[in-house]
Amino acid sequence: NRMVSSLGLEDARQLLALCKTEQVRDLFDLNIWQEDGIDVGDLSDWLGVLLSLPDGIREAHLRGLDVELLAFMLRNHSRIYLAEDEIPPESEGDFYRTPDNWFVLDIIGTSEVGFDRIRALIDALYVDDNEEARRLIQNVMWELPSQLEEASYRWRSGRLEDLGFADPMEAL
């Protein structure tokens, strides 16, 4: 964590490529949370760097992250429609059709960089496993962001406690 902090996230790309999947997950656990909530900007930045890694490494690291974390990112930045359903004529952001043509996502509330990151995340998920990506997007349609964040927080807290970090409230 210190090495990534001293290098800066963008310059730590090569280091992240050499890390084990568990190490990357631990770095996410330590860096994207502000107390008990996800810092969406930090999550976006970390995913941006992760998505720029070479194919095999990128997929391994994405699979190592909590699925709830990826779902939270998708849910926060998109409205998801089944491609066969009626899609609103006007988008809130930008429409994006998934590679399997099952879904149309209206990617909202993000800059052009954010749109590209969400699109790259979806494409990376589909490159790795079409069925798993489809299942994730279908589940994201019905989940609340607060539920996804809470589930991810529980996983994170358990892992940090296993590493010897005390729960902040218990430590007080």
Side-chain angles (χ1 to χ4, degrees), residues 134-162:
R134 189 176 302 127
R135 202 171 311 125
L136 172 67
I137 293 173
Q138 192 168 22
N139 288 338
V140 169
M141 289 176 68
W142 310 112
E143 293 287 341
L144 295 173
S146 58
Q147 292 172 325
L148 295 167
E149 187 175 30
E150 177 64 27
S152 188
Y153 180 73
R154 279 186 266 133
W155 284 111
R156 172 203 182 243
S157 296
R159 282 193 300 270
L160 289 178
E161 287 177 13
D162 288 347

mmCIF file of all heavy atoms in Angstrom, residues 134-162:
data_model
loop_
_atom_site.group_PDB
_atom_site.id
_atom_site.type_symbol
_atom_site.label_atom_id
_atom_site.label_comp_id
_atom_site.label_asym_id
_atom_site.label_seq_id
_atom_site.Cartn_x
_atom_site.Cartn_y
_atom_site.Cartn_z
ATOM 1 N N ARG A 134 -23.365 -11.662 -18.006
ATOM 2 C CA ARG A 134 -24.816 -11.541 -18.201
ATOM 3 C C ARG A 134 -25.549 -11.685 -16.869
ATOM 4 O O ARG A 134 -26.467 -10.925 -16.553
ATOM 5 C CB ARG A 134 -25.284 -12.608 -19.193
ATOM 6 C CG ARG A 134 -26.713 -12.444 -19.640
ATOM 7 C CD ARG A 134 -27.095 -13.472 -20.690
ATOM 8 N NE ARG A 134 -26.212 -13.385 -21.852
ATOM 9 C CZ ARG A 134 -25.546 -14.423 -22.366
ATOM 10 N NH1 ARG A 134 -25.654 -15.620 -21.841
ATOM 11 N NH2 ARG A 134 -24.771 -14.260 -23.417
ATOM 12 N N ARG A 135 -25.130 -12.647 -16.073
ATOM 13 C CA ARG A 135 -25.760 -12.871 -14.765
ATOM 14 C C ARG A 135 -25.556 -11.662 -13.847
ATOM 15 O O ARG A 135 -26.484 -11.234 -13.158
ATOM 16 C CB ARG A 135 -25.162 -14.136 -14.137
ATOM 17 C CG ARG A 135 -26.027 -14.777 -13.093
ATOM 18 C CD ARG A 135 -25.519 -16.142 -12.649
ATOM 19 N NE ARG A 135 -25.213 -16.992 -13.784
ATOM 20 C CZ ARG A 135 -24.040 -17.590 -13.984
ATOM 21 N NH1 ARG A 135 -23.064 -17.456 -13.135
ATOM 22 N NH2 ARG A 135 -23.833 -18.345 -15.044
ATOM 23 N N LEU A 136 -24.351 -11.107 -13.859
ATOM 24 C CA LEU A 136 -24.062 -9.942 -13.037
ATOM 25 C C LEU A 136 -24.950 -8.756 -13.433
ATOM 26 O O LEU A 136 -25.582 -8.142 -12.581
ATOM 27 C CB LEU A 136 -22.585 -9.551 -13.154
ATOM 28 C CG LEU A 136 -22.189 -8.234 -12.490
ATOM 29 C CD1 LEU A 136 -22.320 -8.331 -10.979
ATOM 30 C CD2 LEU A 136 -20.788 -7.837 -12.882
ATOM 31 N N ILE A 137 -25.011 -8.459 -14.715
ATOM 32 C CA ILE A 137 -25.807 -7.314 -15.165
ATOM 33 C C ILE A 137 -27.283 -7.536 -14.872
ATOM 34 O O ILE A 137 -27.985 -6.616 -14.447
ATOM 35 C CB ILE A 137 -25.555 -7.032 -16.656
ATOM 36 C CG1 ILE A 137 -24.115 -6.550 -16.829
ATOM 37 C CG2 ILE A 137 -26.537 -6.002 -17.193
ATOM 38 C CD1 ILE A 137 -23.679 -6.402 -18.263
ATOM 39 N N GLN A 138 -27.751 -8.749 -15.052
ATOM 40 C CA GLN A 138 -29.160 -9.038 -14.756
ATOM 41 C C GLN A 138 -29.460 -8.845 -13.272
ATOM 42 O O GLN A 138 -30.484 -8.288 -12.900
ATOM 43 C CB GLN A 138 -29.499 -10.464 -15.184
ATOM 44 C CG GLN A 138 -30.970 -10.750 -15.198
ATOM 45 C CD GLN A 138 -31.261 -12.058 -15.905
ATOM 46 O OE1 GLN A 138 -30.399 -12.929 -16.031
ATOM 47 N NE2 GLN A 138 -32.473 -12.208 -16.378
ATOM 48 N N ASN A 139 -28.551 -9.274 -12.412
ATOM 49 C CA ASN A 139 -28.748 -9.085 -10.975
ATOM 50 C C ASN A 139 -28.657 -7.617 -10.577
ATOM 51 O O ASN A 139 -29.364 -7.176 -9.678
ATOM 52 C CB ASN A 139 -27.732 -9.904 -10.184
ATOM 53 C CG ASN A 139 -28.022 -11.382 -10.251
ATOM 54 O OD1 ASN A 139 -29.137 -11.810 -10.520
ATOM 55 N ND2 ASN A 139 -27.000 -12.190 -10.030
ATOM 56 N N VAL A 140 -27.783 -6.869 -11.233
ATOM 57 C CA VAL A 140 -27.629 -5.447 -10.922
ATOM 58 C C VAL A 140 -28.927 -4.685 -11.186
ATOM 59 O O VAL A 140 -29.237 -3.719 -10.496
ATOM 60 C CB VAL A 140 -26.456 -4.837 -11.731
ATOM 61 C CG1 VAL A 140 -26.439 -3.327 -11.645
ATOM 62 C CG2 VAL A 140 -25.135 -5.409 -11.236
ATOM 63 N N MET A 141 -29.697 -5.139 -12.143
ATOM 64 C CA MET A 141 -30.962 -4.466 -12.478
ATOM 65 C C MET A 141 -31.876 -4.342 -11.263
ATOM 66 O O MET A 141 -32.635 -3.392 -11.149
ATOM 67 C CB MET A 141 -31.711 -5.226 -13.578
ATOM 68 C CG MET A 141 -31.086 -5.137 -14.935
ATOM 69 S SD MET A 141 -31.946 -6.154 -16.153
ATOM 70 C CE MET A 141 -33.506 -5.288 -16.283
ATOM 71 N N TRP A 142 -31.818 -5.301 -10.353
ATOM 72 C CA TRP A 142 -32.791 -5.381 -9.266
ATOM 73 C C TRP A 142 -32.225 -5.052 -7.897
ATOM 74 O O TRP A 142 -32.954 -5.024 -6.920
ATOM 75 C CB TRP A 142 -33.419 -6.776 -9.247
ATOM 76 C CG TRP A 142 -33.897 -7.158 -10.599
ATOM 77 C CD1 TRP A 142 -33.388 -8.140 -11.404
ATOM 78 C CD2 TRP A 142 -34.940 -6.535 -11.351
ATOM 79 N NE1 TRP A 142 -34.046 -8.171 -12.594
ATOM 80 C CE2 TRP A 142 -35.014 -7.195 -12.593
ATOM 81 C CE3 TRP A 142 -35.816 -5.465 -11.105
ATOM 82 C CZ2 TRP A 142 -35.933 -6.838 -13.577
ATOM 83 C CZ3 TRP A 142 -36.727 -5.121 -12.093
ATOM 84 C CH2 TRP A 142 -36.781 -5.799 -13.299
ATOM 85 N N GLU A 143 -30.934 -4.818 -7.806
ATOM 86 C CA GLU A 143 -30.317 -4.532 -6.515
ATOM 87 C C GLU A 143 -30.315 -3.031 -6.231
ATOM 88 O O GLU A 143 -30.242 -2.216 -7.141
ATOM 89 C CB GLU A 143 -28.876 -5.034 -6.488
ATOM 90 C CG GLU A 143 -28.726 -6.530 -6.539
ATOM 91 C CD GLU A 143 -29.108 -7.238 -5.256
ATOM 92 O OE1 GLU A 143 -29.166 -6.583 -4.196
ATOM 93 O OE2 GLU A 143 -29.339 -8.443 -5.320
ATOM 94 N N LEU A 144 -30.356 -2.699 -4.968
ATOM 95 C CA LEU A 144 -30.195 -1.313 -4.543
ATOM 96 C C LEU A 144 -28.714 -1.049 -4.288
ATOM 97 O O LEU A 144 -28.008 -1.911 -3.760
ATOM 98 C CB LEU A 144 -30.976 -1.053 -3.260
ATOM 99 C CG LEU A 144 -32.491 -1.162 -3.355
ATOM 100 C CD1 LEU A 144 -33.110 -1.057 -1.969
ATOM 101 C CD2 LEU A 144 -33.032 -0.080 -4.268
ATOM 102 N N PRO A 145 -28.230 0.143 -4.633
ATOM 103 C CA PRO A 145 -26.809 0.443 -4.374
ATOM 104 C C PRO A 145 -26.432 0.276 -2.902
ATOM 105 O O PRO A 145 -25.342 -0.182 -2.589
ATOM 106 C CB PRO A 145 -26.666 1.905 -4.819
ATOM 107 C CG PRO A 145 -27.763 2.127 -5.781
ATOM 108 C CD PRO A 145 -28.898 1.232 -5.333
ATOM 109 N N SER A 146 -27.344 0.626 -2.001
ATOM 110 C CA SER A 146 -27.041 0.511 -0.571
ATOM 111 C C SER A 146 -26.832 -0.943 -0.162
ATOM 112 O O SER A 146 -25.969 -1.239 0.664
ATOM 113 C CB SER A 146 -28.148 1.148 0.259
ATOM 114 O OG SER A 146 -29.390 0.539 -0.024
ATOM 115 N N GLN A 147 -27.600 -1.867 -0.744
ATOM 116 C CA GLN A 147 -27.421 -3.291 -0.435
ATOM 117 C C GLN A 147 -26.071 -3.792 -0.939
ATOM 118 O O GLN A 147 -25.384 -4.548 -0.254
ATOM 119 C CB GLN A 147 -28.539 -4.122 -1.056
ATOM 120 C CG GLN A 147 -29.889 -3.898 -0.447
ATOM 121 C CD GLN A 147 -30.982 -4.604 -1.229
ATOM 122 O OE1 GLN A 147 -30.922 -4.700 -2.450
ATOM 123 N NE2 GLN A 147 -31.987 -5.104 -0.514
ATOM 124 N N LEU A 148 -25.704 -3.368 -2.142
ATOM 125 C CA LEU A 148 -24.429 -3.789 -2.713
ATOM 126 C C LEU A 148 -23.255 -3.242 -1.913
ATOM 127 O O LEU A 148 -22.287 -3.954 -1.643
ATOM 128 C CB LEU A 148 -24.331 -3.331 -4.172
ATOM 129 C CG LEU A 148 -25.341 -3.961 -5.125
ATOM 130 C CD1 LEU A 148 -25.362 -3.216 -6.447
ATOM 131 C CD2 LEU A 148 -25.039 -5.433 -5.321
ATOM 132 N N GLU A 149 -23.357 -1.979 -1.500
ATOM 133 C CA GLU A 149 -22.296 -1.366 -0.713
ATOM 134 C C GLU A 149 -22.168 -2.044 0.644
ATOM 135 O O GLU A 149 -21.058 -2.322 1.109
ATOM 136 C CB GLU A 149 -22.572 0.133 -0.544
ATOM 137 C CG GLU A 149 -21.459 0.883 0.112
ATOM 138 C CD GLU A 149 -21.712 2.381 0.155
ATOM 139 O OE1 GLU A 149 -22.887 2.798 0.220
ATOM 140 O OE2 GLU A 149 -20.732 3.133 0.126
ATOM 141 N N GLU A 150 -23.292 -2.355 1.270
ATOM 142 C CA GLU A 150 -23.272 -3.012 2.584
ATOM 143 C C GLU A 150 -22.663 -4.414 2.494
ATOM 144 O O GLU A 150 -21.848 -4.796 3.336
ATOM 145 C CB GLU A 150 -24.687 -3.090 3.157
ATOM 146 C CG GLU A 150 -24.795 -3.805 4.481
ATOM 147 C CD GLU A 150 -24.053 -3.125 5.614
ATOM 148 O OE1 GLU A 150 -23.880 -1.891 5.567
ATOM 149 O OE2 GLU A 150 -23.628 -3.823 6.553
ATOM 150 N N ALA A 151 -23.030 -5.170 1.471
ATOM 151 C CA ALA A 151 -22.471 -6.516 1.313
ATOM 152 C C ALA A 151 -20.960 -6.446 1.074
ATOM 153 O O ALA A 151 -20.195 -7.220 1.664
ATOM 154 C CB ALA A 151 -23.160 -7.227 0.155
ATOM 155 N N SER A 152 -20.531 -5.518 0.244
ATOM 156 C CA SER A 152 -19.107 -5.357 -0.016
ATOM 157 C C SER A 152 -18.364 -4.927 1.250
ATOM 158 O O SER A 152 -17.254 -5.386 1.521
ATOM 159 C CB SER A 152 -18.898 -4.340 -1.141
ATOM 160 O OG SER A 152 -17.558 -4.311 -1.527
ATOM 161 N N TYR A 153 -18.995 -4.062 2.034
ATOM 162 C CA TYR A 153 -18.384 -3.604 3.283
ATOM 163 C C TYR A 153 -18.193 -4.770 4.257
ATOM 164 O O TYR A 153 -17.161 -4.868 4.920
ATOM 165 C CB TYR A 153 -19.241 -2.506 3.919
ATOM 166 C CG TYR A 153 -18.677 -1.985 5.211
ATOM 167 C CD1 TYR A 153 -17.550 -1.159 5.207
ATOM 168 C CD2 TYR A 153 -19.247 -2.319 6.434
ATOM 169 C CE1 TYR A 153 -17.010 -0.676 6.387
ATOM 170 C CE2 TYR A 153 -18.714 -1.837 7.622
ATOM 171 C CZ TYR A 153 -17.602 -1.025 7.589
ATOM 172 O OH TYR A 153 -17.063 -0.559 8.761
ATOM 173 N N ARG A 154 -19.175 -5.658 4.337
ATOM 174 C CA ARG A 154 -19.042 -6.810 5.238
ATOM 175 C C ARG A 154 -17.883 -7.708 4.820
ATOM 176 O O ARG A 154 -17.114 -8.180 5.655
ATOM 177 C CB ARG A 154 -20.347 -7.597 5.299
ATOM 178 C CG ARG A 154 -21.343 -6.960 6.256
ATOM 179 C CD ARG A 154 -22.578 -7.803 6.441
ATOM 180 N NE ARG A 154 -23.551 -7.294 5.475
ATOM 181 C CZ ARG A 154 -24.286 -8.020 4.669
ATOM 182 N NH1 ARG A 154 -24.209 -9.318 4.699
ATOM 183 N NH2 ARG A 154 -25.111 -7.475 3.822
ATOM 184 N N TRP A 155 -17.759 -7.971 3.499
ATOM 185 C CA TRP A 155 -16.641 -8.788 3.015
ATOM 186 C C TRP A 155 -15.315 -8.107 3.347
ATOM 187 O O TRP A 155 -14.372 -8.741 3.820
ATOM 188 C CB TRP A 155 -16.729 -9.006 1.501
ATOM 189 C CG TRP A 155 -17.750 -10.003 1.085
ATOM 190 C CD1 TRP A 155 -18.915 -9.762 0.414
ATOM 191 C CD2 TRP A 155 -17.712 -11.421 1.285
ATOM 192 N NE1 TRP A 155 -19.586 -10.929 0.195
ATOM 193 C CE2 TRP A 155 -18.871 -11.970 0.717
ATOM 194 C CE3 TRP A 155 -16.794 -12.273 1.894
ATOM 195 C CZ2 TRP A 155 -19.136 -13.331 0.741
ATOM 196 C CZ3 TRP A 155 -17.064 -13.639 1.918
ATOM 197 C CH2 TRP A 155 -18.221 -14.148 1.347
ATOM 198 N N ARG A 156 -15.244 -6.800 3.086
ATOM 199 C CA ARG A 156 -14.020 -6.033 3.334
ATOM 200 C C ARG A 156 -13.662 -6.069 4.816
ATOM 201 O O ARG A 156 -12.515 -6.316 5.183
ATOM 202 C CB ARG A 156 -14.225 -4.595 2.876
ATOM 203 C CG ARG A 156 -13.070 -3.694 3.266
ATOM 204 C CD ARG A 156 -13.534 -2.240 3.327
ATOM 205 N NE ARG A 156 -12.436 -1.360 3.658
ATOM 206 C CZ ARG A 156 -12.396 -0.636 4.762
ATOM 207 N NH1 ARG A 156 -13.354 -0.687 5.643
ATOM 208 N NH2 ARG A 156 -11.378 0.160 4.990
ATOM 209 N N SER A 157 -14.633 -5.830 5.676
ATOM 210 C CA SER A 157 -14.366 -5.812 7.117
ATOM 211 C C SER A 157 -13.840 -7.155 7.596
ATOM 212 O O SER A 157 -12.899 -7.210 8.390
ATOM 213 C CB SER A 157 -15.633 -5.446 7.893
ATOM 214 O OG SER A 157 -16.029 -4.140 7.578
ATOM 215 N N GLY A 158 -14.428 -8.224 7.124
ATOM 216 C CA GLY A 158 -13.965 -9.559 7.502
ATOM 217 C C GLY A 158 -12.531 -9.816 7.069
ATOM 218 O O GLY A 158 -11.731 -10.347 7.840
ATOM 219 N N ARG A 159 -12.211 -9.423 5.836
ATOM 220 C CA ARG A 159 -10.832 -9.621 5.354
ATOM 221 C C ARG A 159 -9.847 -8.785 6.149
ATOM 222 O O ARG A 159 -8.766 -9.261 6.511
ATOM 223 C CB ARG A 159 -10.737 -9.269 3.866
ATOM 224 C CG ARG A 159 -11.275 -10.332 2.952
ATOM 225 C CD ARG A 159 -10.880 -10.075 1.514
ATOM 226 N NE ARG A 159 -11.370 -8.798 1.020
ATOM 227 C CZ ARG A 159 -12.543 -8.620 0.417
ATOM 228 N NH1 ARG A 159 -13.361 -9.650 0.243
ATOM 229 N NH2 ARG A 159 -12.901 -7.429 -0.011
ATOM 230 N N LEU A 160 -10.201 -7.530 6.429
ATOM 231 C CA LEU A 160 -9.291 -6.676 7.198
ATOM 232 C C LEU A 160 -9.096 -7.191 8.616
ATOM 233 O O LEU A 160 -7.989 -7.137 9.159
ATOM 234 C CB LEU A 160 -9.798 -5.228 7.216
ATOM 235 C CG LEU A 160 -9.688 -4.475 5.891
ATOM 236 C CD1 LEU A 160 -10.259 -3.069 6.022
ATOM 237 C CD2 LEU A 160 -8.262 -4.432 5.379
ATOM 238 N N GLU A 161 -10.148 -7.711 9.230
ATOM 239 C CA GLU A 161 -10.011 -8.304 10.565
ATOM 240 C C GLU A 161 -9.114 -9.532 10.515
ATOM 241 O O GLU A 161 -8.317 -9.755 11.423
ATOM 242 C CB GLU A 161 -11.377 -8.626 11.140
ATOM 243 C CG GLU A 161 -12.143 -7.388 11.583
ATOM 244 C CD GLU A 161 -13.538 -7.699 12.093
ATOM 245 O OE1 GLU A 161 -13.860 -8.889 12.340
ATOM 246 O OE2 GLU A 161 -14.318 -6.744 12.236
ATOM 247 N N ASP A 162 -9.234 -10.323 9.442
ATOM 248 C CA ASP A 162 -8.354 -11.487 9.286
ATOM 249 C C ASP A 162 -6.892 -11.071 9.159
ATOM 250 O O ASP A 162 -5.990 -11.805 9.561
ATOM 251 C CB ASP A 162 -8.754 -12.309 8.059
ATOM 252 C CG ASP A 162 -10.050 -13.073 8.257
ATOM 253 O OD1 ASP A 162 -10.516 -13.171 9.412
ATOM 254 O OD2 ASP A 162 -10.597 -13.568 7.246
#
